[in-house]
Amino acid sequence: MTHNIPQLTLNDGHSLPAIGFGTYPLRGVEGRDAIQSALNSGYRLLDSATNYENEGVVGRALRDFLADSGVTRDEVTVQSKLAGRHHDYDSALQAGYESVTRLGLDRLDVLLIHWPNPITDKYREAWRALVELQRRGVVRSIGVSNFASEHLDNIVDDSGVTPAINQIELHPYFIQEKMRAAHEQLGIITEAWSPLGKRSAPFDEAPVADAAAAHGVTPAQVILRWHIHNGSIPLPKSATPSRQVENLDVFGFELTDAEVASISSLTRTDGRLFGGDPNTHEEM
Ligand SMILES: NC(=O)c1ccc[n+]([C@@H]2O[C@H](COP(=O)([O-])OP(=O)(O)OC[C@H]3O[C@@H](n4cnc5c(N)ncnc54)[C@H](OP(=O)(O)O)[C@@H]3O)[C@@H](O)[C@H]2O)c1
C-alpha cells in the first residue's frame, strides 16, 4: 500500500514525513516483523533509540524491506537517540558511530539527545558532539527529545546551532501548548511521543468519539489527525498490522477548528503519562 504522506521541512533544509512509526518496545524476531510490516504499510519514518535496544532489528527490517520493495534508502528516515550515559563529548561521538553501525546503515538520518538529564548537566557537550557528527556526515539532521525551553536556550546559546526537532510527550491529555509555541518561535519541529496517550488513550472521550462518528473514522485516527492539524509529527507504535494501516490512513479527512479545540480541551495538568519531567528525569 502506498500513501502520499506530506513532508515537513526542517530548519536544516531536510524534510520529514508528517507521521512516523514508534518502535519501542519492538525487539527480536517479532519486533523485526512488526517493523517490516510497518514499512510495508507505508511508514517512511522509524523512531528508535539506543535505549530501546532495537537499533539492530530496525536496521535489519529496513535493509530487508529495501531489498524487496524497490523503495530507496533515501525515501526512509531512520531516527535514533543518544542515551544519557553517553553525554560526555567523546562518548557521544563514539555512540553516534555505534548507532549507525548497529543499524547497519551508512548514515543515520536523525539523531536526538534522548533526555537532557540536567542533574548531570552534560547536555551542552552532548549537543556539541551531535553538531560534530552532523559536520562529519555521520548524521544528517540533529535534534533533542524531552528538552524544556531552558535546555533549548542553553544549547543554542552554547553552540549557535538550533536543534531541528524536539520530541516530547504530546497527546490530548497533555497538549504542551507552551512548548509548541516555543518550538514555533525557534523554528523547531515538534515530534509527539505517546501520541495516542498509550495506556490511557482518550478514545472514549466525547470530543474524540464524536469527531470519529462525524467523519466515519476511528478514535485513534481522530487523535492522529489532531496532531497533523497542529503541525506536530505523531509517532504511533503498533505491533498490530491492521492498526498500523489504520494509523497511517489519516490524510483523507480534516477536523474542523471547533473539533480541534474541543479535543485540546481534554488537557489536564497531571496529563503526563510517565512522570517524565525534563527537569528531574534521569535517563541512563
Ligand atoms: N522520546 C521519548 O522519551 C519517548 C518516550 C516514549 C515513547 N517514545 C516513542 O513514541 C512511540 C509511541 O509511544 P507509545 O508506544 O508510548 O504510545 P502510543 O503510540 O500512544 O500507544 C501505543 C499503544 O497504543 C496501541 N494502539 C496503537 N494503535 C492503535 C489503534 N489504532 N487503536 C487502538 N490502540 C492502538 C498499541 O497497541 P498494539 O501495539 O498492541 O497495537 C500500543 O499499546 C514509541 O514507540 C517510541 O518510539 C519516545
Side-chain angles (χ1 to χ4, degrees):
M1 187 176 308
T2 55
H3 290 272
N4 275 334
I5 304 174
Q7 302 277 316
L8 302 188
T9 305
L10 301 174
N11 61 18
D12 63 9
H14 294 291
S15 57
L16 279 190
I19 185 168
F21 183 71
T23 69
Y24 180 78
L26 302 172
R27 294 192 191 105
V29 177
E30 294 86 7
R32 184 201 60 197
D33 290 350
I35 295 160
Q36 224 174 326
S37 150
L39 286 162
N40 279 317
S41 305
Y43 290 88
R44 294 293 177 263
L45 165 60
L46 302 178
D47 180 61
S48 180
T50 295
N51 273 345
Y52 299 170
E53 297 179 346
N54 70 359
E55 287 165 312
V57 293
V58 167
R60 175 63 193 273
L62 174 59
R63 294 195 306 279
D64 289 352
F65 170 73
L66 294 178
D68 290 344
S69 63
V71 172
T72 62
R73 170 72 184 89
D74 283 346
E75 292 175 71
V76 184
T77 301
V78 181
Q79 170 170 288
S80 193
K81 307 187 196 82
L82 179 79
R85 62 188 173 281
H86 297 310
H87 280 200
D88 286 343
Y89 183 83
D90 288 336
S91 176
L93 276 187
Q94 287 163 1
Y97 285 105
E98 288 291 342
S99 281
V100 176
T101 307
R102 276 192 297 274
L103 284 156
L105 302 173
D106 57 346
R107 83 155 191 256
L108 187 52
D109 301 305
V110 180
L111 183 60
L112 311 177
I113 300 176
H114 205 148
W115 286 88
N117 282 11
I119 289 161
T120 56
D121 199 21
K122 290 185 172 172
Y123 60 89
R124 292 175 192 77
E125 60 179 287
W127 178 245
R128 270 184 258 129
L130 262 59
V131 172
E132 176 61 16
L133 285 166
Q134 185 183 40
R135 194 192 65 77
R136 295 184 190 180
V138 180
V139 178
R140 195 187 62 191
S141 295
I142 53 176
V144 296
S145 179
N146 298 301
F147 273 43
S149 284
E150 178 196 342
H151 311 133
L152 293 175
D153 291 343
N154 287 342
I155 58 171
V156 175
D157 285 351
D158 183 66
S159 67
V161 181
T162 304
I165 296 161
N166 189 14
Q167 182 184 125
I168 55 175
E169 178 177 348
L170 174 55
H171 44 76
Y173 285 141
F174 196 56
I175 67 170
Q176 297 262 29
E177 241 173 337
K178 280 191 188 147
M179 284 311 298
R180 286 190 288 125
H183 293 167
E184 197 161 323
Q185 206 169 14
L186 289 166
I188 295 174
I189 291 283
T190 307
E191 287 186 348
W193 64 255
S194 292
L196 295 170
K198 202 175 183 176
R199 286 178 232 111
S200 46
F203 292 157
D204 297 330
E205 298 278 7
V208 174
D210 291 352
H215 295 280
V217 298
T218 66
Q221 289 173 317
V222 165
I223 295 170
L224 295 170
R225 185 70 214 184
W226 172 84
H227 287 282
I228 307 270
H229 182 102
N230 290 333
S232 306
I233 299 180
L235 303 168
K237 170 264 172 184
S238 178
T240 316
S242 60
R243 286 177 173 173
Q244 294 174 351
V245 172
E246 173 188 329
N247 293 347
L248 205 51
D249 188 11
V250 293
F251 298 102
F253 70 103
E254 281 190 40
L255 298 173
T256 64
D257 289 342
E259 286 168 334
V260 169
S262 169
I263 293 164
S264 299
S265 73
L266 293 171
T267 197
R268 42 189 216 210
T269 48
D270 63 346
R272 230 183 252 291
L273 288 179
F274 304 108
D277 184 334
N279 289 303
T280 52
H281 184 89
E282 266 188 282
E283 189 238 7
M284 294 306 288

